[in-house]
Amino acid sequence: MSVTTSVPEKAPAKPPRSLGDRLFSGVARAAGLTILAALAGVFIFLTIEGVPGLSQPTSTYAPNHDFLSYVGPLIYGTILAAVLALILAVPFALGIALFISHYAPRRLAVPVAYVIDLLAAVPSVVFGLWGARSLATYLVPLHEWLYAHLSWLPFFAGPPSVTGRTIFTAGIVLAIMILPIITAISREVFAQTPRLDQEAALALGATRWEMVRMAVFPYARSGMVSAIMLGLGRALGETMAVAMVLSASPIVTLNLISNTNPATVASNIASSFAEATPAKLHVLIATGLVLFAFTFAVNFAARWVVGRNDRRMSR
Amino acid sequence: MTSANLAPDLAASMRLSRPRLPRWAPVLALVLTVAAAGLPAMLLGWSVVGWLALALVLFLAALPGWAWAVEGGRSAVDRLMTALIWSAFGIAVIPLVWLIWTVVSQGASVISVEFLTYSMRNIVGSGGGIYHALIGTLLVTGAAAVISIPIGIFAAIYLVEYGKGTQLGRWITFLVDVMTGIPSIVAGLFALSLFVLLFGPQFRAGIGGAVALSLLMIPIVVRSTEEMLRLVPADLREASYALGVPKWRTISKVVLPTALGGIITGVTLAIARVIGETAPLLVVAGKTDSTNFNLFNERMSTLPVYIYYSFTQPGIAPPGVSDPPGIARAWGAALVLIVIVMVLNLLARVIGKIFAPKKG
Amino acid sequence: MAKSIDVSDLNIYYGDFLAVEGVNMTIKARSVTAFIGPSGCGKSTMLRSLNRMHEVIPGARVEGKIMVDGQSLYDASVDPVAVRREIGMVFQRPNPFPTMSIYDNVLAGNRLNAKRLKKSESDDIVERSLKAANLWAEVKDRLGKPGMGLSGGQQQRLCIARAIAVEPQVLLMDEPCSALDPISTSAIEDLIHELKTDYTIVIVTHNMQQAARVSDDTGFFNLKATGEPGHLVEFNPTKKMFTNPDHESTEAYISGRFG
């Protein structure tokens, strides 16, 4: 057994740092750790207060009998409203994003972008008020028209609501609310498409739309996906607009235009919260936890898609 | 070694000119289709909306169809997409204009000195105002800003200046992403759970709302600050280091001032974003009819919650009036809230302009 | 193919700003014409106006005439898309489409027009174009790999292959070697020599030796004064330009006294 002769190298000593430096970096690190702690807190406290909500007396879950059957229709309603909103919003959002980044005359593009940002700034409770008092009334004829012409589709089986305060209207309001988010992000990635890529396409004799398909969309694909997913996350979690527009009942139905509409998790919390007993409060917090897990999964999936695309692009 | 067969036919002349639609073709098509749609709309007694919808559909078919006949398929597709994109823009502007117009027209008549300076204490029927809710909104949002701005800015400094590439830095980046996606009502439930565990099940106070709003505000502040700090050129930092300036002074004297305009803009936008949040305040700050200046005691009304309750519990309409008094109050408060948000947005832009690095 | 280009009294504007003023020249078919001059004198702008690429920038417009094969490029009936098919372009930095393979990059232009290319047809086009661009030997075993994986010089030759795959009449090159190392540069220069038997080539370059090496004719652009529009000082056979230029400023520039 030979003895190593080499002198064991000392770990490089940390350079001395001034007090100010240590203090400053300490504060910065502490701020970062606060964020960690805050999120851990969200999980912990929601779990502490929410878990008892899984096993309350049957009467708490009225009109259902246990937690799963209570939260099931709510999740269904949440997804239904969010998907509806997404279907309505995505084509418009991408269209407007392209309009701003590539189609509009420069003099129009800047104000349009500003107007869309303003749309994002309108508080959700104002959207709710407008949706319930104004939009819903005007959508009644549309409900009737859909019932008259498309009632063979399960979505429009009717009978149409006379107030217009249906999941269909809620979906439209949600669509208007998530439109600015999707627009803002995709407009940014569209605009970041390298000029050279676009000119390469044009120099090959591409029309504007062909240029968009050849150079802009491939470049922006992952950004578009994450924009849509973020919009979906927002739609899933949106509370007030749905709570104010919908006259909800805990049912599962594909019918979008009738008087009985499924509630969403968030809107159900908002509307049952005021009269909740402590037992019911636990149940509501538990549904909130489910919603959190759900939006988390969506955001996570979005990130994964983006990451995968980046990896593929950099291969 | 250029192969001869690559050479195109020498005699072949270039075909540069093709039959093209005149520049005014889209306008003409639009006018014609609007007119054409007017005929059935008039005969069948459709509304303006039905008429315009039909016109749009006709236009989307007519212009590409014409282009197909004259210019060929590729150009037709191009024109169809251009038309679709323009109409997407046109349709999306409708709800915004409609919403603003509704809020202004319904709310303007409600706003008066009384509406702004009276609370709802002891009000039955009409009268009363939003004073208590305004105070609540300012206090709660102010407290949220006090909590989130330092945390947000320092966390961003950590991410950009210290934590680059470290495990902790990656974790924080990830968690900020997660935080961005927290539904606002979940933030409210979190604050509620926290305070209920600490102070008992009946606890409701403005500070709870502030904590909930900070949870929503911090990621926005971190994101915008991070972005601004990253825009500061590395040369600038190196120039400062090369002068022997310690890192923290470089950050506080060189990096932060350079990014200041952007950071203030981001913070203002973050405030504008959370000032209209309803759900968390509904849950944890509650509702009251009186003015409450104490963030740490008793329920505190805020503007968004005021709007919500005015809408859901509007009171009883006096005889001969169609709408109960709460609805008018809701519109009035909505107008005030929108004005506040818009002013904050404008302010953010102005600040961004003022602080933008001067050139020349 | 290989058409000549006649430019007469050309003014190029960006909005109200006059960038290039009063250009007259004749670019000969099957030859290489180089544009040289100091930075900002409008040679790239001039080049881009030859296939109507400059109007991609909002507000850009031209006055005057550019005739190719007896047709005016800026006639109302002329489709800029058709112009760009006939007059290909290679850019300053290599810009293969990042999401496409080498194979798809070469075919990008062809796929726009033809509804369906048969496999054998597209293989044929890819091989011919890559061979013409002197790249075939280097990439024939990895046609399915992304174009971004190639070296800078290879990427630039890929872009040349992509431009000639649509069989244009004219090839415009905007400082094609400025982002490349000397070895890649000389590969491109050799390629330009070979290509001029089939194409009319116009090249913008900062490098006077390059202009002297590759071109038959040279146009020297200069600014009258700072803030004034650029203009064409002299247009002559390269040999004459570099030995006995007509203008003093040309000689000053070529001998390295400014620019």
Side-chain angles (χ1 to χ4, degrees):
Chain A
M1 196 175 117
S2 69
V3 179
T4 43
T5 49
S6 67
V7 183
E9 275 186 42
K10 269 200 278 183
K14 281 198 174 163
R17 290 205 298 173
S18 71
L19 181 68
D21 251 352
R22 269 177 295 168
L23 215 66
F24 198 83
S25 72
V27 169
R29 181 189 292 262
L33 290 171
T34 311
I35 291 179
L36 266 170
L39 259 172
V42 171
F43 271 110
I44 294 168
F45 287 105
L46 283 183
T47 314
I48 293 177
E49 286 290 295
V51 164
L54 301 179
S55 51
Q56 293 291 327
T58 320
S59 62
T60 321
Y61 300 109
N64 294 304
H65 42 86
D66 63 2
F67 182 72
L68 280 184
S69 64
Y70 181 81
V71 79
L74 294 176
I75 291 183
Y76 170 79
T78 307
I79 296 175
L80 183 65
V83 167
L84 192 61
L86 217 53
I87 292 172
L88 291 170
V90 166
F92 284 104
L94 295 183
I96 296 165
L98 266 184
F99 181 78
I100 295 170
S101 67
H102 285 87
Y103 277 77
R106 181 99 52 92
R107 222 170 284 156
L108 202 56
V110 177
V112 168
Y114 183 56
V115 162
I116 299 293
D117 285 347
L118 278 190
L119 200 56
V122 174
S124 61
V125 68
V126 177
F127 270 114
L129 186 64
W130 171 75
R133 297 288 310 180
S134 218
L135 180 69
T137 330
Y138 282 92
L139 286 183
V140 173
L142 181 61
H143 282 74
E144 282 160 0
W145 188 88
L146 286 171
Y147 177 62
H149 295 88
L150 296 169
S151 59
W152 46 273
L153 280 170
F155 307 112
F156 307 119
S161 155
V162 289
T163 58
R165 290 170 65 175
T166 59
I167 192 113
F168 181 69
T169 305
I172 292 180
V173 175
L174 277 182
I176 298 170
M177 294 179 70
I178 63 174
L179 182 108
I181 306 172
I182 306 178
T183 304
I185 302 175
S186 20
R187 147 171 79 100
E188 210 105 300
V189 282
F190 288 161
Q192 278 168 8
T193 313
R195 199 173 178 84
L196 270 173
D197 284 10
Q198 303 180 36
E199 293 194 340
L202 288 175
L204 286 173
T207 62
R208 185 158 47 175
W209 171 245
E210 285 162 347
M211 182 272 283
V212 167
R213 275 189 33 203
M214 267 171 103
V216 179
F217 280 167
Y219 177 83
R221 191 179 299 140
S222 68
M224 273 150 63
V225 170
S226 77
I228 292 169
M229 292 294 228
L230 282 178
L232 177 64
R234 175 93 197 265
L236 287 172
E238 177 48 44
T239 316
M240 302 319 293
V242 184
M244 290 168 84
V245 168
L246 272 190
S247 42
S249 45
I251 54 158
V252 172
T253 171
L254 272 179
N255 195 341
L256 300 178
I257 58 170
S258 77
N259 269 325
T260 45
N261 293 284
T264 69
V265 175
S267 76
N268 178 61
I269 297 173
S271 48
S272 353
F273 184 79
E275 297 92 39
T277 59
K280 179 83 175 210
L281 192 57
H282 286 304
V283 176
L284 292 179
I285 291 178
T287 60
L289 193 58
V290 171
L291 176 65
F292 184 28
F294 213 79
T295 49
F296 179 81
V298 168
N299 284 320
F300 197 81
R303 224 158 299 288
W304 183 77
V305 169
V306 174
R308 193 186 56 162
N309 205 310
D310 287 350
R311 283 193 295 279
R312 211 176 46 210
M313 293 272 286
S314 62
R315 199 179 37 178
Chain B
M1 85 153 215
T2 352
S3 43
N5 62 350
L6 185 68
D9 187 1
L10 256 175
S13 81
M14 294 163 57
R15 281 201 312 121
L16 293 184
S17 30
R18 293 181 180 168
R20 298 187 75 197
L21 294 185
R23 287 175 61 86
W24 37 263
V27 178
L28 179 68
L30 186 64
V31 171
L32 286 180
T33 48
V34 168
L39 189 67
M42 262 203 298
L43 291 179
L44 302 173
W46 289 358
S47 63
V48 179
V49 180
W51 170 33
L52 290 181
L54 179 65
L56 180 64
V57 172
L58 282 181
F59 177 72
L60 289 178
L63 183 64
W66 189 10
W68 190 291
V70 178
E71 299 177 327
R74 287 174 62 196
S75 167
V77 173
D78 191 47
R79 285 197 189 263
L80 175 66
M81 294 317 296
T82 307
L84 279 176
I85 283 165
W86 273 82
S87 24
F89 154 68
I91 292 171
V93 170
I94 295 172
L96 180 75
V97 174
W98 183 5
L99 180 134
I100 301 277
W101 185 79
T102 313
V103 173
V104 170
S105 66
Q106 302 269 351
S109 58
V110 183
I111 295 197
S112 62
V113 177
E114 187 197 349
F115 187 69
L116 294 176
T117 53
Y118 274 64
S119 74
M120 290 299 290
R121 193 174 177 85
N122 299 330
I123 301 287
V124 178
S126 60
I130 57 169
Y131 179 67
H132 60 307
L134 260 180
I135 295 295
T137 287
L138 295 181
L139 285 176
V140 171
T141 315
V146 168
I147 300 173
S148 7
I149 292 172
I151 295 182
I153 290 181
F154 272 102
I157 290 176
Y158 178 77
L159 287 177
V160 176
E161 305 287 343
Y162 293 101
K164 219 183 274 175
T166 65
Q167 196 65 36
L168 182 64
R170 274 198 292 275
W171 266 101
I172 293 173
T173 309
F174 172 71
L175 290 178
V176 169
D177 278 348
V178 173
M179 262 175 126
T180 325
I182 291 183
S184 61
I185 192 136
V186 172
L189 289 177
F190 155 68
L192 181 73
S193 311
L194 175 70
F195 284 97
V196 161
L197 272 178
L198 294 179
F199 302 109
Q202 287 313 312
F203 182 88
R204 301 283 186 279
I207 188 68
V211 167
L213 291 189
S214 327
L215 203 64
L216 300 171
M217 195 172 160
I218 287 174
I220 312 178
V221 176
V222 174
R223 267 294 127 75
S224 56
T225 309
E226 210 186 332
E227 204 162 295
M228 287 305 135
L229 292 181
R230 283 194 205 289
L231 283 182
V232 177
D235 303 1
L236 223 53
R237 295 188 181 94
E238 281 166 11
S240 174
Y241 294 150
L243 292 172
V245 181
K247 186 163 184 173
W248 73 279
R249 288 194 72 87
T250 303
I251 295 171
S252 58
K253 295 283 174 194
V254 176
V255 178
L256 281 181
T258 313
L260 190 65
I263 294 175
I264 297 181
T265 303
V267 166
T268 316
L269 287 177
I271 294 175
R273 162 95 169 69
V274 297
I275 206 168
E277 275 300 345
T278 318
L281 301 174
L282 187 70
V283 172
V284 67
K287 175 223 171 198
T288 168
D289 285 341
S290 328
T291 314
N292 176 6
F293 286 99
N294 189 346
L295 275 170
F296 298 93
N297 191 20
E298 287 299 309
R299 291 164 187 259
M300 190 178 243
S301 262
T302 50
L303 266 183
V305 176
Y306 178 89
I307 297 171
Y308 178 68
Y309 277 111
S310 300
F311 168 76
T312 51
Q313 302 163 10
I316 296 148
V321 182
S322 61
D323 278 340
I327 297 298
R329 285 197 284 258
W331 284 118
L335 179 56
V336 172
L337 186 58
I338 283 209
V339 167
I340 293 177
V341 171
M342 296 298 158
V343 166
L344 280 173
N345 267 283
L346 275 180
L347 206 62
R349 288 200 163 229
V350 173
I351 292 169
K353 284 244 166 68
I354 292 175
F355 282 92
K358 307 276 184 298
K359 282 174 193 153
Chain C
M1 76 189 267
K3 305 292 178 191
S4 62
I5 306 172
D6 291 298
V7 180
S8 44
D9 295 327
L10 191 73
N11 294 331
I12 310 175
Y13 294 86
Y14 291 112
D16 295 330
F17 173 70
L18 178 58
V20 179
E21 190 179 21
V23 174
N24 287 290
M25 66 167 88
T26 299
I27 294 165
K28 290 204 240 18
R30 293 163 175 271
S31 72
V32 178
T33 304
F35 292 170
I36 59 172
S39 302
C41 65
K43 37 188 204 311
S44 285
T45 301
M46 178 64 217
L47 188 79
R48 290 164 65 91
S49 71
L50 293 180
N51 70 341
R52 298 187 63 166
M53 275 301 286
H54 78 293
E55 64 195 59
V56 170
I57 297 160
R61 64 200 164 83
V62 302
E63 286 167 4
K65 251 193 175 159
I66 300 180
M67 303 289 287
V68 181
D69 191 30
Q71 301 171 69
S72 168
L73 278 194
Y74 286 88
D75 204 76
S77 69
V78 167
D79 183 359
V81 168
V83 171
R84 294 175 198 147
R85 283 193 73 78
E86 301 292 349
I87 305 180
M89 187 160 193
V90 175
F91 294 83
Q92 195 165 353
R93 281 156 187 267
N95 54 352
F97 294 112
T99 44
M100 294 184 192
S101 66
I102 295 173
Y103 189 93
D104 291 335
N105 255 298
V106 177
L107 283 177
N110 303 63
R111 290 221 167 111
L112 288 176
N113 246 349
K115 279 272 162 285
R116 274 243 152 269
L117 278 173
K118 271 196 229 111
K119 179 83 173 97
S120 58
E121 275 176 303
S122 22
D123 286 348
D124 194 40
I125 294 173
V126 170
E127 186 174 342
R128 265 190 299 156
S129 311
L130 284 174
K131 273 184 177 157
N134 285 345
L135 191 61
W136 176 249
E138 290 157 70
V139 300
K140 64 170 186 274
D141 301 321
R142 46 169 169 158
L143 293 173
K145 292 267 159 53
M148 295 299 277
L150 300 174
S151 75
Q154 289 172 325
Q155 285 187 20
Q156 193 61 297
R157 277 179 281 152
L158 176 60
C159 292
I160 294 174
R162 179 176 69 188
I164 57 184
V166 290
E167 304 186 352
Q169 307 288 339
V170 179
L171 208 52
L172 308 177
M173 299 185 171
D174 189 358
E175 300 187 32
C177 302
S178 66
L180 303 181
D181 61 88
I183 295 175
S184 308
T185 300
S186 103
I188 302 269
E189 285 178 9
D190 292 346
L191 175 59
I192 292 173
H193 261 298
E194 287 170 14
L195 289 176
K196 81 168 179 186
T197 51
D198 294 325
Y199 298 94
T200 304
I201 294 175
V202 185
I203 177 170
V204 166
T205 175
H206 256 303
N207 179 332
M208 275 166 294
Q209 282 73 39
Q210 185 171 60
R213 282 194 298 266
V214 301
S215 70
D216 305 297
D217 293 308
T218 301
F220 171 57
F221 286 80
N222 199 1
L223 298 169
K224 282 188 183 123
T226 328
E228 296 276 302
H231 66 127
L232 179 65
V233 177
E234 183 172 346
F235 189 82
N236 265 322
T238 305
K239 227 172 230 161
K240 175 170 165 45
M241 182 83 103
F242 278 84
T243 51
N244 180 24
D246 289 343
H247 281 260
E248 231 173 272
S249 63
T250 315
E251 196 188 348
Y253 181 74
I254 287 172
S255 58
R257 261 180 276 154
F258 80 97

